[in-house]
Amino acid sequence: MPKTMTLSQVMKQLESQADEKVRQRYVRDGAGDNVFGVLLGKLRGLAEELGTNHGLGLELWATGNHEARILACMLLDPSALTEKEGRALLEPLSNPTLVDELVGRVLVHAPIAEALQVRWMDGSKELPRRAGWKLLAGRIARGLAKDLDVPATLARIERELPPAPYRVKEGINFCLVWIGIHLPEYRAEAIAIGERLGRWDTRPIPKGCTSSYAPEWIAASLALRQGEKTEARKAMESAAKAKAAPARKKTAPARKKTAGKRPSASKGAR
């Protein structure tokens, strides 16, 4: 049975799980000042206890608190949202992490997904445009974009990615990669477009992470599906094992040296 909690009880529990170092990291990443610093794993655990609870999800979202909104994304019922409500949730956002959580956990599963996708992809606001492309990617992955003109979409990706703002670039590139992964008949063209677009993201690749360069991302995802591991994944797992191993192996205690050899019994006998 799902656990019943009031908004006040949930907020108190979130505050009790706050970690100052995590809070500082979230603030640096653009979460704003209304943030406790609760790790995502703890939010997932609480969401499992609460189950789907659309009303509580909307209450949590209304607080404006970062963790409360992430938790809300885990509780909201996608089928209960109208297009107007979906827009009201996403369009005021300024944090791309929260945009991605709302899209990936809620909106992509909603009956209104296609309408929002079309509206936002054709719009001019940065984060809604990002959301529109990510919605399309999610619908492709779930087989829900059967009427999509894929060649026209690929041409649009190649045309719109270069001049787009950075956060929109990420969304467009994500869609390109998802086409390459989930639509095998268009995989070669998706890779070719990625090669022509080049490495638009010049940031260093974090250790153990996959490159955002579409050809490499597609290849790594397909390898993972086949049970293979990329070199980055192997290196990350190897480093984790080394860290978990004892710093030094225990050695057997040295044998004490004797002052001198004792004569053997045979030598002492006459």
Side-chain angles (χ1 to χ4, degrees):
M1 286 287 293
K3 189 174 182 179
T4 301
M5 294 179 70
T6 65
L7 174 65
S8 176
Q9 289 172 327
V10 174
M11 294 303 290
K12 285 180 180 177
Q13 182 161 335
L14 292 177
E15 189 171 7
S16 72
Q17 296 176 329
D19 182 305
E20 180 58 23
K21 289 184 178 178
V22 175
R23 191 193 73 80
Q24 290 176 10
R25 187 174 79 239
Y26 287 171
V27 170
R28 286 196 303 270
D29 291 342
D33 296 324
N34 191 354
V35 55
F36 292 135
V38 183
L39 290 169
L40 187 59
K42 293 183 178 181
L43 296 178
R44 288 197 194 102
L46 181 55
E48 288 178 6
E49 292 180 25
L50 295 170
T52 300
N53 188 328
H54 194 71
L56 179 58
L58 291 175
E59 287 181 328
L60 286 164
W61 190 271
T63 66
N65 175 267
H66 179 70
E67 287 88 353
R69 285 185 161 183
I70 297 289
L71 179 60
C73 292
M74 302 175 187
L75 305 184
L76 290 170
D77 179 1
S79 65
L81 286 173
T82 66
E83 184 178 345
K84 183 178 180 181
E85 288 169 335
R87 290 183 58 199
L89 291 175
L90 187 134
E91 290 180 2
L93 295 178
S94 58
N95 180 2
T97 299
L98 200 50
V99 167
D100 293 349
E101 288 288 327
L102 183 59
V103 168
R105 294 184 184 275
V106 184
L107 297 180
V108 76
H109 303 287
I112 58 174
E114 184 175 6
L116 291 175
Q117 167 213 309
V118 172
R119 181 183 189 92
W120 288 336
M121 282 176 62
D122 292 339
S124 58
K125 291 185 178 179
E126 184 173 353
L127 290 183
R129 279 182 69 194
R130 173 193 182 92
W133 282 101
K134 289 216 161 189
L135 270 174
L136 176 55
R139 293 182 62 246
I140 289 170
R142 289 164 179 77
L144 301 175
K146 296 187 184 301
D147 296 331
L148 180 68
D149 185 340
V150 181
T153 301
L154 287 170
R156 181 173 178 178
I157 286 172
E158 190 164 12
R159 182 175 66 252
E160 292 190 15
L161 188 146
Y166 178 77
R167 296 302 183 188
V168 180
K169 275 185 168 74
E170 287 185 317
I172 297 174
N173 187 67
F174 185 80
C175 189
L176 175 63
V177 170
W178 255 229
I179 289 173
I181 293 170
H182 296 283
L183 301 178
E185 63 272 34
Y186 295 101
R187 185 170 297 152
E189 180 58 19
I191 291 172
I193 289 172
E195 290 171 345
R196 290 197 293 271
L197 291 171
R199 297 181 182 275
W200 55 270
D201 188 347
T202 57
R203 297 175 304 172
I205 302 169
K207 190 175 181 180
C209 293
T210 303
S211 167
S212 61
Y213 179 49
E216 292 178 354
W217 190 350
I218 292 169
S221 296
L222 293 175
L224 197 59
R225 282 182 158 205
Q226 295 165 3
E228 300 171 6
K229 294 178 181 178
T230 62
E231 291 304 315
R233 173 63 61 178
K234 289 176 184 176
M236 183 172 67
E237 291 181 358
S238 177
K241 286 180 182 178
K243 189 175 181 180
R248 63 176 100 175
K249 294 181 180 178
K250 291 183 179 179
T251 56
R255 294 179 63 186
K256 291 182 179 179
K257 293 183 178 180
T258 56
K261 287 185 178 181
R262 298 176 65 183
S264 65
S266 59
K267 284 185 178 180
R270 293 282 181 185

